[in-house]
Amino acid sequence: MTGMWYNGVDRLKHGRGNASNMSGNDDGNTVRMKYPGFKMPSLAGKKKLIIIIGSVVAAFIALRILFGIYLELLQLDEIGNYSSIFITNMGAIAIAFAICFAVTLIPLIINGIVANKYMGRHFAAVGMAFKKMPVVIPAIIVAILFSVGKAFESYDKFLLFFNSTKFGQADPIFGNDIGYYVFQRPFYMFFVEVALTACIVATAFTVAYYVIAVMTRHKDDVKADSFKVKKFIGHALVMVAVCFFVRAFTYIFKAQDLLFGTYFSVNGTGYVGVNIWINYFKVIPFVLVAIVLGALLFIWRSEYKRAVIVILAYPAIWIAVSAVGAVVQNFVVIPNEYEYEREYLRHSMQMTREAYNIHNIIPYEFADVVPVTREIMDRNADTRNNIRVVDYKATLDSTKQLQSNTNFYTFVDGDIYTHNIKGKDTPIFVMAREINKDNLPEKSYTNTMFRYTHGYGIAISPINRFTAQGQTDFILSGIELDSRDNGITVTEPRIYYGELTDDYVVVNRPGSGKIKEIDADGYSETNYEGNGGLKMSFFNRLLFAIEYGDINMLISGNIDSESRILLNRHIYQRAQKAVPFLIVDRDAYIVLSDEGRLNWILDAYTTTPFYPYAEYYSSGEEYNYIRNSVKIVVDAYHGTVDYYIIDQSDPIIMTYDKIYPGVFRLDPLPSDIASHMKYPEALFDIQSVVMRRYHLEPDKDENVRTFYSNNDLWNIATIPIESTHSTQALEAYYNLVKLPGELGTKEELILMLPYTPSGGRHNLASWLAVRCSYEDYGQMILFTFPKNKNIFGPYQVEVKINQIDSIAKDISLWSQGGSEVFKGNLLVIPIEESVLYVEPIYIKSSPQAIPEVRLIVVGYQQENWFIYGIGTNLDRALEDLYKNAADQVAIDDLDGDGSHAGGDGPGQATGGDGSTPRPGTSGTDPDRDKIIDDISKKYDEMQRLLGEIGDLIDDLR
């Protein structure tokens, strides 16, 4: 056998062999070998094979697309019968595709037919054979490739255009309703863009046909002269002219684009844009049409040089206008810039404030800031009793350690809102006890899929108090959900949809005989009886086995036809999936309904980048208009999702309501949900950033001038970070207060944030507040302080607290034992015409220990002094404050006229000559008396002892 094999190889090498197995040419060289029983496929057979393979691939792709569509519809209906959104979108995509396809295909076919006609005549004239080139199939392929992407990119423009809503507000330059820019203009721009792109594609298509035809016919004899065919060049130039003609329609949009540009570091356009460029864009379309017609005329006469000269007039005009604009800007506008740009700056101020919904802010000016007295605090007892004295991060940390109960539960987040506790609205921390599968000792398939499926209950603690040990004081706690208020009862504590449930699980019905789920204590078992999820029919088992690549879906004995698969359990993803056209806030909060059910609340926003003259904000995507128009309610047990429109004055959400009828609920929020309303921090943060520059009312000329000169920019207040020698911006915080003056009649929950002037100054300039109650939801109030007075800002107050001798000693002493000492949020709380500063100081004996509040520091400003009080709780700190204030008055009386002597200003712990501050103060003043200093130290020591005695008495109680 081996010899025969080598013999065969030798025959192949030398071209000799059996005639039946070898074929050769006349010179004896071998061409190919024939094998018995094998026949090379014919050309027709190859085509058939390609068709079969192509059909299989196409069928697989089609099935995969259909599979994805069906799965999407299934999930949307499981969330809440929202498949209509997907169907509406798919219909719009189909319409957009058909329009794009037609607009692209028709020019391609027409130009292909014309090109074939010209090529046939040309090659016949030169005595060359010509076979028509294919037109329809290439044109269809090109049109499909172009149209698919455009359809998915533009379908929403179709929907918004045909369902648009007026804003009732016109832009200041063209006088168009804002709705035109948001809903109609994008559609018109898209249509013109498609037509222009189709012309460009058709031109390239035509040129490619001519080039291929010439190269094919002339083969190896292609020369430059081969392409110089009058009909070919004329056809191509006509197509170029048509492209320019279509482009003329884009200039109306280019003029309007100026409203979204940037000038003088603001959005919009100024004097040069309005008086030169807008006029240019009005005239240039007619000039361009004239240029196109002139060029065509010269092309028809074969005067190509003149055609080129006419075409060059187009860029020459643009260069001339640019030069004129530069001259006017530099030699006319800039020397008297404010007068020329004033009205345009006013437009930017007004439109930006409207776009971010800060144009209806209620202003409140403090004529002066008065000391915090016992009488003021007694008149505002509810505000005093609800002052936040615990820190968010410390409370969350404490709750994780005290309330997780089992190793597979944890708390990922907490939120503040009001709840009726024993007949009074009380600000509370609410935290959901969620399942954390990362902590399971055994992450088997059975455990993660069937056994550990849900969280359990919530923990509630007040923000205005803590235990005698300084720990979190729970109102609702434990796996048994023990409540200290009969009005707080949880009837269904299980949380199948939450912030940590980002997986899918399979659950069984009671009585099924299948595997049960582990419940709250880690030992007892339960079954899911909710409405969430999809039944695991054989088809669904097969479907999800394919989707997740999980063969256990088909073979597991823990699943029957009544089992349910719970999908999209992460509440943010669940809420966002149905409404991809809205921005859903990731910061959800959980509330307890009157029936004792747990519901998640999320905020959703409408945005657009097409609000004229408004400043842009970037947070992943760029926009210059935002509204909190929707509240989303997700049942933590059933998973049902309801979208409530809470702002029917927003034209964008009302347009979406027209597009997707039945998706949004226009009825009011349920009262038990509305009673726990809170304004979203994410939106408030955006508005507070915009307010740094746009807090000035644009209707006053002096404000426009100030805006122009940037003389009144604000910064969000900061506090010093001693460990890193840096600063940190304050986060917005919730508090229950009675607003000063005529603004408030009772205590209410507000979200607030203080500002300081720009330029590195730290005195308090203002603070911004927004109301959270259902009745006044979203109403903003801007509190401003006298500019001729130096009101302490959070940075200065933090420095003064750090300079309090007794606190510095305590922190040093506590830290020596290895404990971690840290401060909570410094709060700036307005009470009537006073400002109270409050800050808790925490201690942690070890990294794993529970943080405890050790001291509360309160204070206020009196001239250049910081009058403070320290106590183990708020009441004691306030009593210390009142006592120190009285001491301050007595010392002032020693001055004769009550005036302060000396002083270098705020932020120092000693007087101008290095002397020690007065007792109970931090500030600047000459040295008073060593006796006073000794008394102060002894008093501080006595206060600490009294505080410890008080704690012991509280413990005994």
Side-chain angles (χ1 to χ4, degrees):
M1 290 292 294
T2 304
M4 292 175 63
W5 186 82
Y6 277 111
N7 189 33
V9 172
D10 185 65
R11 289 195 184 105
L12 288 172
K13 287 180 178 178
H14 295 89
R16 296 186 298 272
N18 192 303
S20 65
N21 292 327
M22 304 292 294
S23 64
N25 50 23
D26 292 341
D27 60 4
N29 292 329
T30 301
V31 176
R32 68 177 184 272
M33 183 175 181
K34 295 180 180 178
Y35 294 93
F38 176 80
K39 186 176 180 181
M40 294 294 289
S42 64
L43 183 60
K46 289 180 179 177
K47 287 183 178 180
K48 194 177 291 184
L49 181 62
I50 291 172
I51 291 172
I52 292 172
I53 294 173
S55 299
V56 171
V57 171
F60 176 80
I61 293 173
L63 284 173
R64 190 67 185 89
I65 291 172
L66 291 173
F67 176 83
I69 291 174
Y70 176 76
L71 188 62
E72 188 72 12
L73 293 172
L74 204 62
Q75 293 181 79
L76 288 171
D77 277 339
E78 187 272 333
I79 290 173
N81 297 318
Y82 296 125
S83 60
S84 61
I85 296 175
F86 185 82
I87 293 170
T88 299
N89 291 346
M90 291 300 293
I93 289 170
I95 294 172
F97 173 82
I99 293 174
C100 294
F101 182 75
V103 171
T104 308
L105 182 65
I106 292 172
L108 291 177
I109 291 179
I110 290 174
N111 280 277
I113 292 172
V114 172
N116 266 328
K117 180 180 177 181
Y118 286 164
M119 287 186 292
R121 290 177 180 178
H122 168 71
F123 288 117
V126 296
M128 298 179 69
F130 174 72
K131 183 180 179 181
K132 286 186 178 181
M133 297 181 68
V135 172
V136 176
I137 292 178
I140 290 175
I141 292 172
V142 171
I144 288 174
L145 293 176
F146 171 76
S147 302
V148 168
K150 285 294 182 183
F152 280 94
E153 173 192 328
S154 64
Y155 76 92
D156 57 332
K157 296 179 177 66
F158 283 76
L159 293 171
L160 293 171
F161 177 82
F162 289 107
N163 297 277
S164 61
T165 304
K166 286 186 178 295
F167 272 67
Q169 171 71 26
D171 81 88
I173 304 300
F174 297 99
N176 296 317
D177 186 87
I178 304 300
Y180 162 79
Y181 297 98
V182 175
F183 304 122
Q184 297 168 335
R185 181 173 177 269
F187 174 78
Y188 293 141
M189 290 178 64
F190 166 76
F191 197 87
V192 172
E193 177 193 346
V194 168
L196 180 60
T197 307
C199 287
I200 294 171
V201 171
T203 302
F205 191 76
T206 302
V207 172
Y209 260 44
Y210 287 130
V211 171
I212 292 170
V214 170
M215 294 181 69
T216 302
R217 293 299 91 196
H218 290 276
K219 294 185 179 178
D220 298 331
D221 192 27
V222 180
K223 299 177 181 178
D225 290 342
S226 302
F227 297 99
K228 293 180 180 179
V229 180
K230 183 177 179 180
K231 290 287 186 181
F232 295 179
I233 296 173
H235 187 186
L237 289 175
V238 167
M239 287 305 301
V240 171
V242 171
C243 290
F244 275 102
F245 182 78
V246 175
R247 181 176 173 78
F249 289 94
T250 66
Y251 284 103
I252 184 174
F253 306 124
K254 287 188 174 294
Q256 295 165 357
D257 278 341
L258 294 173
L259 303 183
F260 306 98
T262 301
Y263 83 103
F264 197 69
S265 75
V266 297
N267 203 50
T269 188
Y271 180 85
V272 170
V274 171
N275 293 279
I276 293 179
W277 283 107
I278 287 181
N279 289 322
Y280 164 76
F281 289 129
K282 287 179 180 178
V283 174
I284 195 63
F286 302 101
V287 174
L288 185 57
V289 170
I291 288 173
V292 169
L293 293 176
L296 288 175
L297 177 63
F298 287 122
I299 290 169
W300 182 69
R301 293 178 177 178
S302 299
E303 299 176 14
Y304 298 117
K305 289 185 178 179
R306 291 187 177 182
V308 171
I309 292 172
V310 170
I311 292 171
L312 289 177
Y314 172 68
I317 293 171
W318 180 84
I319 292 171
V321 173
S322 298
V324 171
V327 169
V328 171
Q329 179 67 35
N330 287 284
F331 296 100
V332 177
V333 176
I334 289 180
N336 196 14
E337 192 169 44
Y338 173 71
E339 293 302 324
Y340 278 99
E341 303 289 9
R342 176 176 54 194
E343 288 308 309
Y344 307 110
L345 291 172
R346 194 190 307 275
H347 296 332
S348 180
M349 295 170 68
Q350 182 63 43
M351 301 297 277
T352 297
R353 287 164 62 88
E354 290 173 359
Y356 291 94
N357 206 21
I358 56 176
H359 59 299
N360 290 323
I361 288 183
I362 298 174
Y364 186 91
E365 295 184 10
F366 282 89
D368 197 1
V369 178
V370 302
V372 176
T373 64
R374 186 188 299 272
E375 292 72 25
I376 290 175
M377 297 302 290
D378 287 344
R379 281 199 304 268
N380 297 272
D382 286 337
T383 295
R384 178 194 62 203
N385 296 337
N386 284 293
I387 289 175
R388 176 176 160 186
V389 292
V390 292
D391 186 63
Y392 166 79
K393 292 178 181 178
T395 302
L396 181 60
D397 186 18
S398 177
T399 304
K400 284 181 180 179
Q401 298 190 57
L402 294 170
Q403 293 295 316
S404 292
N405 299 96
T406 62
N407 62 350
F408 53 86
Y409 284 142
T410 191
F411 295 85
V412 67
D413 194 11
D415 292 279
I416 297 175
Y417 56 85
T418 59
H419 202 291
N420 190 286
I421 306 293
K422 296 182 178 178
K424 287 188 176 182
D425 282 342
T426 304
I428 56 173
F429 273 117
V430 182
M431 291 150 282
R433 185 182 291 104
E434 295 203 60
I435 190 163
N436 182 9
K437 294 184 181 180
D438 290 339
N439 291 338
L440 289 176
E442 183 183 350
K443 299 184 184 69
S444 65
Y445 184 83
T446 299
N447 278 347
T448 57
M449 180 65 70
F450 302 103
R451 297 285 277 171
Y452 295 91
T453 59
H454 58 275
Y456 196 91
I458 57 177
I460 298 177
S461 59
I463 71 171
N464 59 352
R465 66 175 184 268
F466 44 84
T467 66
Q469 294 76 32
Q471 296 181 3
T472 303
D473 186 21
F474 292 101
I475 299 171
L476 182 73
S477 61
I479 291 298
E480 298 298 326
L481 301 175
D482 298 320
S483 175
R484 287 159 51 186
D485 186 335
N486 294 332
I488 298 180
T489 304
V490 183
T491 57
E492 181 46 76
R494 295 170 184 84
I495 301 173
Y496 284 86
Y497 299 86
E499 293 184 283
L500 284 181
T501 49
D502 51 3
D503 60 349
Y504 60 91
V505 295
V506 176
V507 293
N508 291 300
R509 292 306 205 190
S512 65
K514 299 296 181 181
I515 190 169
K516 293 187 175 183
E517 308 159 50
I518 295 293
D519 212 15
D521 56 10
Y523 301 102
S524 57
E525 297 180 326
T526 187
N527 286 108
Y528 181 69
E529 299 182 64
N531 302 324
L534 297 165
K535 287 187 177 181
M536 293 295 279
S537 63
F538 176 77
F539 180 77
N540 280 349
R541 293 175 72 172
L542 176 63
L543 181 75
F544 292 110
I546 295 171
E547 174 65 13
Y548 298 123
D550 185 358
I551 190 64
N552 292 303
M553 291 278 189
L554 286 174
I555 64 176
S556 175
N558 292 319
I559 303 175
D560 62 15
S561 60
E562 293 300 313
S563 301
R564 301 176 82 90
I565 182 170
L566 306 186
L567 308 164
N568 301 305
R569 298 201 300 144
H570 192 287
I571 50 172
Y572 162 73
Q573 296 170 357
R574 188 173 183 83
Q576 183 72 82
K577 189 175 185 64
V579 289
F581 44 87
L582 300 180
I583 296 178
V584 176
D585 197 325
R586 292 177 178 270
D587 185 19
Y589 63 99
I590 196 164
V591 301
L592 184 64
S593 71
D594 290 346
E595 291 78 23
R597 301 194 62 83
L598 298 176
N599 293 282
W600 293 97
I601 311 300
L602 299 96
D603 291 278
Y605 312 110
T606 57
T607 61
T608 181
F610 301 126
Y611 203 94
Y613 266 101
E615 201 73 23
Y616 282 97
Y617 184 90
S618 180
S619 59
E621 65 174 281
E622 197 173 53
Y623 48 82
N624 62 356
Y625 171 95
I626 186 169
R627 288 292 186 275
N628 175 210
S629 301
V630 176
K631 289 283 185 181
I632 307 172
V633 181
V634 183
D635 189 294
Y637 186 73
H638 294 294
T640 53
V641 183
D642 291 307
Y643 300 89
Y644 289 87
I645 293 179
I646 61 169
D647 183 5
Q648 296 186 30
S649 67
D650 174 26
I652 297 181
I653 196 61
M654 299 314 293
T655 296
Y656 282 126
D657 186 52
K658 294 179 193 175
I659 296 171
Y660 307 110
V663 168
F664 298 101
R665 299 187 61 166
L666 294 172
D667 52 312
L669 277 168
S671 58
D672 52 355
I673 300 296
S675 64
H676 305 308
M677 288 272 279
K678 71 168 190 169
Y679 198 78
E681 292 177 69
L683 177 57
F684 187 72
D685 288 342
I686 293 169
Q687 292 170 315
S688 62
V689 168
V690 175
M691 280 290 292
R692 293 178 56 229
R693 186 175 188 186
Y694 289 90
H695 57 272
L696 296 164
E697 294 280 355
D699 55 345
K700 297 179 180 179
D701 285 344
E702 60 267 28
N703 286 345
V704 179
R705 182 176 286 277
T706 301
F707 181 84
Y708 163 78
S709 60
N710 284 332
N711 283 341
D712 197 16
L713 294 178
W714 292 346
N715 286 332
I716 293 171
T718 60
I719 56 173
I721 306 298
E722 290 183 329
S723 58
T724 59
H725 303 288
S726 61
T727 61
Q728 174 182 306
L730 259 66
E731 296 180 354
Y733 50 91
Y734 295 96
N735 226 323
L736 193 73
V737 301
K738 179 183 176 184
L739 294 170
E742 302 297 323
L743 296 172
T745 58
K746 63 177 183 178
E747 277 65 25
E748 59 182 296
L749 187 70
I750 62 171
L751 180 60
M752 53 195 296
L753 185 69
Y755 291 99
T756 57
S758 61
R761 293 173 292 168
H762 296 294
N763 55 291
L764 198 61
S766 64
W767 57 271
L768 180 66
V770 63
R771 298 170 122 163
C772 297
S773 65
Y774 185 76
E775 297 78 13
D776 298 308
Y777 184 78
Q779 175 63 67
M780 286 189 157
I781 304 163
L782 182 63
F783 296 84
T784 54
F785 297 95
K787 292 185 179 180
N788 59 348
K789 293 214 173 215
N790 190 7
I791 308 300
F792 292 166
Y795 185 99
Q796 294 166 316
V797 171
E798 190 66 45
V799 168
K800 292 182 181 299
I801 291 174
N802 291 338
Q803 292 172 343
I804 296 174
D805 186 59
S806 61
I807 289 181
K809 289 178 181 177
D810 285 340
I811 290 176
S812 176
L813 179 63
W814 294 332
S815 300
Q816 288 176 3
S819 297
E820 177 189 355
V821 182
F822 61 94
K823 295 174 181 176
N825 290 343
L826 175 64
L827 305 184
V828 183
I829 302 171
I831 303 176
E832 293 188 6
E833 299 298 316
S834 304
V835 176
L836 179 69
Y837 304 90
V838 181
E839 184 174 65
I841 298 177
Y842 280 84
I843 186 170
K844 252 179 116 173
S845 58
S846 68
Q848 292 77 32
I850 297 169
E852 299 175 352
V853 180
R854 185 53 56 95
L855 292 175
I856 299 291
V857 182
V858 298
Y860 66 87
Q861 178 181 359
Q862 183 172 332
E863 296 189 14
N864 283 337
W865 293 97
F866 179 61
I867 312 298
Y868 63 82
I870 306 171
T872 53
N873 59 37
L874 181 63
D875 287 340
R876 290 171 184 160
L878 287 173
E879 286 300 324
D880 190 41
L881 177 72
Y882 303 147
K883 183 266 175 190
N884 289 332
D887 290 346
Q888 177 68 39
V889 171
I891 292 172
D892 284 344
D893 288 343
L894 295 176
D895 292 332
D897 59 356
S899 63
H900 292 284
D904 292 337
Q908 301 176 12
T910 60
D913 57 356
S915 58
T916 305
R918 299 171 181 180
T921 69
S922 179
T924 60
D925 204 42
D927 185 20
R928 298 304 304 160
D929 196 311
K930 188 175 184 305
I931 296 175
I932 295 176
D933 187 48
D934 292 339
I935 292 173
S936 174
K937 291 179 180 178
K938 291 178 181 179
Y939 176 78
D940 288 341
E941 180 65 25
M942 185 172 63
Q943 283 291 104
R944 283 197 296 273
L945 292 173
L946 288 173
E948 292 176 4
I949 293 171
D951 289 342
L952 291 172
I953 293 172
D954 289 341
D955 291 342
L956 291 173
R957 287 176 180 172

